[in-house]
Amino acid sequence: MTRNEKQFSSYSGYLALIVVITLAILAFLMLRAFQPGLAAVCAVTAIFLAPGLYMLQPNESAVLMLFGHYIGTDRSEGLRWAFPLYIKKRLSLRARNLIAPTLKVNDKRGNPIEISAAIVWRVRDTAQAVFDVDDFERYVAVQAEAAIRHLASQYAYDEGEDLPQGMTTLRSGMDEVAHALKAELTERIAAAGVEIVDAKLTHLAYAPEIAQVMLRRQQAEAIISARQKIVHGAVSMVEAALNSLAEREIVELDSERKAAMVSNLLVVLCSDKETQPIVNTGTLYN
């Protein structure tokens, strides 16, 4: 059965403190005036009222119970007083950090990766946090680990030819992944009366056993991509050069010489080493 928080209105602790001190002074005076009956009544009343005093700091609450029955939650600040027989369990409402341990899981492709996250959370409903779960801090930690494992299996680590164009990955879609992690955590820990303030990945890497292989793969993909851009640029430059020569009528080239010129220009533009020029001292065909 889900138990929701009930607001409890406590009394001013300063007034209660004055009453307790006054009763203690009256008990002392009555004792000196040889009236032990009245002195005992004042002393017992002061002793009974004193345990009802408690102090709450900002962003702190007290869950009040009486003989196992939930009375309510006091969120007031300062010195407060409530019925002395109430059991008062303090609960912090401040934001808390959870640094998840580095987990070794498989991504969507099945590649082993290492992943971790930093989660900021706070107690939203004190009654759910205390009564609906056994240990809400441990509950949050366990559910956070489960959410991170599930999240990692939903995305690939990095882009690749086997993935659709523009598909979100763990490395390139950090903001979207963080939003998905926050949404899943919110759903998983709702039963504990906890809200997620923020969630971000703090560590993401391939597992050591495949890190070198994936690095070489990334390097190969980068080289291929760079070569494609170089060839595309070289072809554009050759095309522009031929068009410019034709428009200005500087020289007329037949198909054979155009092919030779294209070949020479592509070698010069696409080569990753310096080319050695050859000076033709004869005619164009020698």
Side-chain angles (χ1 to χ4, degrees), residues 28-47:
F28 177 74
L29 294 177
M30 293 297 177
L31 189 63
R32 295 194 61 180
F34 300 101
Q35 295 183 2
L38 291 176
V41 171
C42 292
V44 170
T45 304
I47 294 173

Side-chain angles (χ1 to χ4, degrees), residues 2 8 38 61-62 65 85 89 94 101 105 123 129 152 161 174 182 189 197 215 222 227 229 263 272:
T2 301
F8 178 82
L38 291 176
S61 66
M65 294 174 287
L85 295 182
K89 180 179 178 63
R94 301 181 180 94
V105 298
V123 174
E161 297 178 355
M174 297 295 288
K182 181 179 178 180
I189 65 176
V197 180
L215 178 60
R227 285 295 182 185
K229 291 182 179 180
S263 176
D272 58 351

Side-chain angles (χ1 to χ4, degrees), residues 85-148:
L85 295 182
Y86 287 162
I87 297 176
K88 307 166 186 70
K89 180 179 178 63
R90 282 187 172 85
L91 198 63
S92 175
L93 304 176
R94 301 181 180 94
R96 313 186 192 192
N97 282 320
L98 171 63
I99 306 298
T102 301
L103 305 175
K104 186 175 179 180
V105 298
N106 293 334
D107 69 352
K108 189 174 182 179
R109 288 196 183 101
N111 296 324
I113 63 173
E114 293 180 346
I115 188 171
S116 181
I119 300 166
V120 182
W121 61 279
R122 60 158 47 98
V123 174
R124 172 183 51 82
D125 191 302
T126 57
Q128 284 185 290
V130 173
F131 302 114
D132 286 359
V133 294
D134 185 45
D135 183 345
F136 69 92
E137 292 183 349
R138 177 62 180 166
Y139 184 86
V140 171
V142 172
Q143 293 301 322
E145 180 176 340
I148 294 173

Side-chain angles (χ1 to χ4, degrees), residues 166-182:
M167 185 176 182
T168 302
T169 62
L170 292 172
R171 195 170 71 89
S172 62
M174 297 295 288
D175 292 338
E176 187 173 342
V177 170
H179 180 74
L181 177 60
K182 181 179 178 180

Side-chain angles (χ1 to χ4, degrees), residues 242-251:
L242 291 175
N243 291 337
S244 179
L245 289 174
E247 290 176 359
R248 299 182 184 183
E249 298 180 353
I250 297 175
V251 62

